[in-house]
Amino acid sequence: MSDSVLIVGAGPVGLTLALELARYRVPVRLVDRMTARETTSRAVALWPRTLELLERAGGGLSEELVRLGNRVEVANIFAGRQPIARIAFAEIATPYPFVLMLPQSETERVLVQRLEALGVRAELGVGLEHVAPDDDGVTATLRHADGRAESARFGWLIACDGAHSVIRHALGLSFEGDTLGNDWAQGDFHMTGVPFPPNEFATWWHGEGPAVLFPLGGGRYRLILGLGPSGPEVPPPPAPAAFQTLLNRRGANDIVLTDTLWTTSFRINERQVNRYRAGRVFLAGDAAHVHSPAGGQGMNTGMQDAMNLAWKLALIARGLSRARVLLDSYDPERRAVGAEVIASSGRLTRLATLQSPVARHIRNAVLPFVLGLPPVQHTLEGTLTETSTHYAQSPLNGVSWQAGAQAGARMVPLAGEPPYGAGDTPRFTLRASPSAGPPPPGLLDALIDPVLRPNPVSGGIELVRPDGYLAMAVADGEWEPVAAYLDAISPRPPADSIPASFI
Ligand SMILES: Cc1cc2nc3c(=O)[nH]c(=O)nc-3n(C[C@H](O)[C@H](O)[C@H](O)COP(=O)(O)OP(=O)(O)OC[C@H]3O[C@@H](n4cnc5c(N)ncnc54)[C@H](O)[C@@H]3O)c2cc1C
């Protein structure tokens, strides 16, 4: 089947991609070599932009996740007992002005249910062994749990197979970067004596390494501890009593760990693949980028890779577009975002693990002032919540008008409006004021949501992509560039077959 997609890896990124493609009516197969789902919590943070984008799948998906999780609205930073900063997410312009704490196992369970409701079942116990891409498709060799080998042909293959990606290796792509020189431990615990309410999280900076505490709800907390400079091997996780001692020494003196649910230890890698696309193979999630868990953005960034790719692939796979630039834009858009996440999470980690007492003293003296400045707070909030993620340099950007948002900017629907890109076909959305004049005949036959939305904020005409980023914006009445943009994306009449040279 030349229009079908094989997704390798049914972690949060593979599940998100399968869900997006399935709802856009693209034939999809999702395989994973694990024979049973992980039940540990792993990534516990869902940030606002991920919830905004998941909402597009319909059926109240984000609301269901919010119901299951714990909303955290404030981030505190202390140096020992000295308060350094208090960052509130309430002011962020989003329907989800909080970080949602939800164990990854729960996020995956909800995604699996949604996917099964669309008729797609993740095939567990099926591993990819070999991949052979060519101009027209990809031949994959799969190994089933009973030892049976299967050779199958697909139009596209998406590597969501995690940090040790077999596909990345097979294609000879590099995964450049470093392993940072500190060891870390984390665990989930029940606790008493936590000196802030369950809608706040805290980081304590300390000369021996930081402590970070996230409330998961129901009296459960995720604790992450820096263990100091690395030895030759990653050490085993400390015993619960050592977690207790280390946490208390870092500044959280009153907290008592009452019950240990899960612990692990790790080292931080900062790496990114050199190309997110090799012909008909794309990489997403941990297969493409790994970085510090500071900021909790690994899983979120991966899920947003999936949402960036899905609508583009759906337009091509369904023959609704033959614009090469659609699939070509995935690499530059998401590689830039991945690089920024690696840089910003690395900065946060280095700031929290300063070794020199002088540097720590300066940090603790200067940062309360700097982080109190509204522009600095605004930047930090935007980075953490991923609401400032944008595609300013995208090859998909059309022109921008001097007023209003610039092409590539994140767009949030007005209150009461459906999300951008909802439904079973990826469609662009037009926003235009009555003064924009009527659209030219035929324009709304293109890949456009037939409901023209008002543009009371900045005036002019705005064209919004199915993933909620601004494609282009022009002044009232300038319909010609809008029509030209849409013609480039979806030449009418739609192509019924796509020559390999277009993709
Ligand atoms: C112990 C632990 C704690 C973590 N804590 C945090 C945290 O606090 N915050 C945070 O942001 N992130 C955390 N992470 C990272 C987070 O879990 C990942 O960023 C996230 O899971 C990435 O999702 P993914 O779908 O890209 O890859 P993964 O979740 O790794 O999924 C990849 C899947 O591909 C499958 N696979 C691999 N090779 C093949 C093959 N050849 N054939 C078929 N299937 C294959 C694997 O079985 C796996 O299920 C943690 C990870 C671990 C392991």
Side-chain angles (χ1 to χ4, degrees), residues 8-9 12-13 32-33 42-43 104 127-128 160-161 186 222 286 298:
V8 179
V13 177
D32 197 302
R33 67 183 174 194
R42 292 159 292 144
Q104 184 172 326
L128 179 105
C160 300
D161 53 345
Q186 66 177 356
R222 161 68 56 87
D286 278 18

Side-chain angles (χ1 to χ4, degrees), residues 158-454:
I158 322 296
C160 300
D161 53 345
H164 303 288
S165 171
V166 170
I167 298 165
R168 192 182 63 231
H169 286 291
L171 297 177
L173 300 174
S174 73
F175 202 42
E176 294 296 324
D178 290 311
T179 303
L180 303 190
N182 285 297
D183 290 325
W184 297 80
Q186 66 177 356
D188 292 351
F189 302 89
H190 285 112
M191 311 184 168
T192 57
V194 177
F196 48 82
N199 67 338
E200 300 191 12
F201 79 84
T203 301
W204 288 268
W205 289 338
H206 188 274
E208 293 173 2
V212 189
L213 196 61
F214 294 107
L216 304 181
R220 221 152 51 117
Y221 288 83
R222 161 68 56 87
L223 172 60
I224 305 176
L225 291 171
L227 300 178
S230 301
E233 302 289 334
V234 180
F243 267 98
Q244 174 79 65
T245 310
L246 291 171
L247 174 61
N248 293 158
R249 269 221 305 264
R250 307 274 158 101
N253 307 44
D254 303 325
I255 298 180
V256 178
L257 311 188
T258 55
D259 183 21
T260 304
L261 302 166
W262 169 75
T263 62
T264 187
S265 52
F266 63 97
R267 241 166 232 176
I268 296 172
N269 276 288
E270 293 184 330
R271 296 179 192 279
Q272 189 175 31
V273 72
N274 56 330
R275 288 157 66 200
Y276 278 47
R277 177 188 183 187
R280 286 173 171 266
V281 180
F282 296 83
L283 291 94
D286 278 18
H289 46 79
V290 290
H291 42 79
S292 164
Q297 274 148 338
M299 182 180 75
N300 289 266
T301 306
M303 290 167 80
Q304 292 180 39
D305 290 342
M307 289 184 275
N308 179 290
L309 179 58
W311 68 271
K312 300 169 179 175
L313 193 51
L315 287 180
I316 299 290
R318 284 182 51 189
L320 298 169
S321 172
R322 44 201 283 178
R324 242 182 133 115
V325 67
L326 275 179
L327 294 182
D328 281 351
S329 68
Y330 173 68
D331 170 274
E333 288 186 354
R334 293 310 298 173
R335 200 146 45 80
V337 170
E340 181 48 38
V341 172
I342 291 170
S344 60
S345 60
R347 276 194 297 273
L348 276 178
T349 308
R350 287 171 181 86
L351 200 61
T353 53
L354 287 178
Q355 296 291 312
S356 144
V358 177
R360 284 203 306 273
H361 179 76
I362 295 171
R363 175 196 67 190
N364 297 349
V366 170
L367 276 186
F369 170 72
V370 173
L371 290 176
L373 298 172
V376 177
Q377 284 224 346
H378 187 67
T379 304
L380 191 58
E381 286 161 7
T383 304
L384 280 175
T385 58
E386 300 195 338
T387 51
S388 61
T389 297
H390 59 87
Y391 302 126
Q393 304 302 325
S394 171
L396 265 187
N397 287 350
V399 292
S400 296
W401 193 32
Q402 73 274 28
Q406 299 295 294
R410 159 181 164 265
M411 303 292 284
V412 182
L414 300 180
E417 287 183 350
Y420 299 119
D424 65 4
T425 298
R427 293 183 192 284
F428 286 71
T429 302
L430 264 177
R431 310 204 70 103
S433 317
S435 56
L443 189 77
L444 297 181
D445 302 341
L447 286 168
I448 291 278
D449 187 328
V451 179
L452 201 67
R453 300 192 195 181

Side-chain angles (χ1 to χ4, degrees), residues 82 85 91 115 120 185 193 296 328 344 351 434:
Q82 177 199 349
E91 298 299 308
L115 197 52
V120 178
D328 281 351
S344 60
L351 200 61

Side-chain angles (χ1 to χ4, degrees), residues 41-103:
S41 57
R42 292 159 292 144
V44 291
L46 280 169
W47 289 100
R49 187 56 178 156
T50 307
L51 292 167
E52 288 175 5
L53 290 167
L54 284 173
E55 191 185 319
R56 298 154 55 253
L61 172 55
S62 297
E63 286 69 19
E64 182 180 356
L65 293 165
V66 170
R67 257 197 318 278
L68 292 167
N70 180 43
R71 298 169 184 222
V72 169
E73 287 144 349
V74 174
N76 295 291
I77 303 176
F78 302 93
R81 300 220 119 192
Q82 177 199 349
I84 298 279
R86 184 176 162 82
I87 300 155
F89 301 127
E91 298 299 308
I92 296 170
T94 170
Y96 308 97
F98 47 82
V99 49
L100 185 73
M101 295 287 136
L102 187 66

